[in-house]
Amino acid sequence: MTPVLRFINRTSLVTQICIGLVAGIAIALLSPATAITLGFLGKLFVSALKAVAPILVFILVMASIANHKHGQETHIRPILVLYLLGTFAAAVVAVVASMAFPSQLALRASEAALTAPGGISEVLQNLVLSAVDNPVNALLNGNFIGILTWAVGLGVALRHAGQTTRTVVEDLSNGVTLIVRMVIRFAPLGIFGLVAATLAESGLDALLGYAHLLAVLIGCMLFVALVVNPLIVFWKIRRNPYPLVLMCLRESGITAFFTRSSAANIPVNLALSEKLGLHEDTYSVSIPLGATINMAGAAITITVLTLAAVHTLGIAVDLPTAVLLSVVAAVCACGASGVAGGSLLLIPLACSLFGIPSEVAMQVVAVGFIIGVLQDSAETALNSSTDVLFTAAACIGEERQRA
């Protein structure tokens, strides 16, 4: 075995990712042209994750339900409670921070060429239509609501199939999982390419003008990740939550930060859930579900940017109204989570609830895209790492109650 292979086998994946991170920063600073070229490695890694995630979710959820033994616990309900509680708490934190440290926006950007939801009813209609999408189309477009719907339906149907059929489905699930593990092994190279290209192309100059807004956004996300989520996990497991919190941030949050895609991070989260010893029947459903509906980061983004526009325009709003309207918009984010721009496209909806015209709201969206290099990365890291965190907390908490 060559020294390089020996080093790879002996070094943890997280350590390798950190090495790739440092190397990417160094290349971006020393040779920006080379860094942009090496960005192909990052695009290749993200594309591979996005390619394998839909089929992985479809096969894994279907196999788990088809082979589920009668009477076996899955803990999905307490996980959903934690998802909703985390989103609500994040919205409250964002409202308090926005009122304590109000941000001013220079609303002079041109209207972005995007199509935002026209209202809550349109978002909910899109959500229902996504659930009944053609299964092939859902797999091609990464529509995880549709994929989950078909996977659950086929899984329930195959529970009545013969043992041979269910064994084939289980073997197929194991095969896809093996492919995913191979893709994840290339994460250090992918992170290296992503970091090098991002720093070389964007730099940080464009972000300096929005330093205050970014400080509020990132500060809220850090507070939720390091204070609010640990409190929620402690309430569930009744022991020191930080070992679990830090592991999820380290092994899921880092890759999510640089891939900037909850869908692409699903394979990473499934591998981490397996490493934590969680039950496959639980995490095979809760992880892809969380990537669609667990929107703490989106709640913060929508709330902070919307209230920044409210403050800039001098609109008076009381605390209970701000919390209520922000939570409504954040919950609706699950309906637009598969659209490019994600939570940013829900800002016009939230702004309309405060009476802000769409022309101004789309300028706020444009600001969101300017700071998206950091905002979207931090949001995805919080959302994705919390999927594993709450899944693990629910499983541990339910086992503790039975003991």
Side-chain angles (χ1 to χ4, degrees), residues 44-350:
L44 185 64
F45 175 63
V46 174
S47 296
L49 283 174
K50 287 184 176 180
V52 78
I55 190 67
L56 173 67
V57 170
F58 181 71
I59 296 295
L60 199 62
V61 172
M62 180 175 62
S64 296
I65 295 175
N67 291 281
H68 177 71
K69 296 179 177 61
H70 183 69
Q72 197 168 340
E73 294 286 346
T74 57
H75 313 309
I76 295 299
R77 185 176 298 174
I79 293 172
L80 288 175
V81 171
L82 292 179
Y83 284 168
L84 294 175
L85 179 60
T87 300
F88 176 77
V92 173
V93 168
V95 167
V96 173
S98 295
M99 292 189 164
F101 308 100
S103 302
Q104 289 276 359
L105 300 178
L107 298 178
R108 59 178 180 273
S110 60
E111 185 172 338
L114 299 168
T115 303
I120 295 176
S121 61
E122 183 180 337
V123 172
L124 296 179
Q125 287 175 20
N126 290 336
L127 187 61
V128 174
L129 290 174
S130 296
V132 296
D133 192 11
N134 180 291
V136 176
N137 189 57
L139 286 169
L140 288 174
N141 296 318
N143 170 17
F144 284 92
I145 291 290
I147 291 170
L148 278 172
T149 302
W150 279 97
V152 170
L154 284 174
V156 171
L158 289 176
R159 292 187 67 178
H160 305 287
Q163 183 59 44
T164 303
T165 301
R166 284 183 283 142
T167 302
V168 169
V169 172
E170 183 67 22
D171 289 341
L172 188 60
S173 172
N174 293 334
V176 175
T177 302
L178 180 61
I179 294 174
V180 169
R181 288 175 180 166
M182 293 174 61
V183 172
I184 292 174
R185 289 302 302 172
F186 288 93
L189 282 175
I191 296 300
F192 167 69
L194 287 169
V195 172
T198 299
L199 286 180
E201 291 175 351
S202 302
L204 297 177
D205 294 341
L207 304 178
L208 293 178
Y210 297 97
H212 182 275
L213 180 63
L214 272 171
V216 175
L217 275 167
I218 305 299
C220 287
M221 293 179 189
L222 286 173
F223 186 81
V224 169
L226 298 176
V227 178
V228 175
N229 284 349
L231 287 174
I232 294 174
V233 172
F234 175 77
W235 165 70
K236 193 67 181 177
I237 68 177
R238 291 294 192 271
R239 67 171 190 245
N240 182 9
Y242 281 99
L244 180 61
V245 170
L246 294 177
M247 174 179 281
C248 291
L249 287 173
R250 184 175 65 248
E251 301 201 15
S252 172
I254 289 177
T255 54
F257 184 90
F258 292 107
T259 60
R260 294 169 64 182
S261 170
S262 294
N265 214 49
I266 287 175
V268 177
N269 283 347
L270 292 172
L272 177 56
S273 298
E274 183 181 8
K275 179 180 178 180
L276 290 170
L278 307 182
H279 201 285
E280 187 175 350
D281 282 353
T282 299
Y283 71 73
S284 64
V285 176
S286 68
I287 294 301
L289 188 63
T292 306
I293 69 170
N294 186 26
M295 289 290 165
I300 292 171
T301 297
I302 294 168
T303 302
V304 170
L305 284 171
T306 300
L307 290 182
V310 167
H311 177 75
T312 301
L313 297 174
I315 300 173
V317 59
D318 57 22
L319 183 62
T321 303
V323 172
L324 176 62
L325 297 179
S326 297
V327 171
V328 168
V331 170
C332 289
C334 64
S337 60
V339 182
S343 59
L344 295 179
L345 289 180
L346 269 294
I347 291 172
L349 170 59

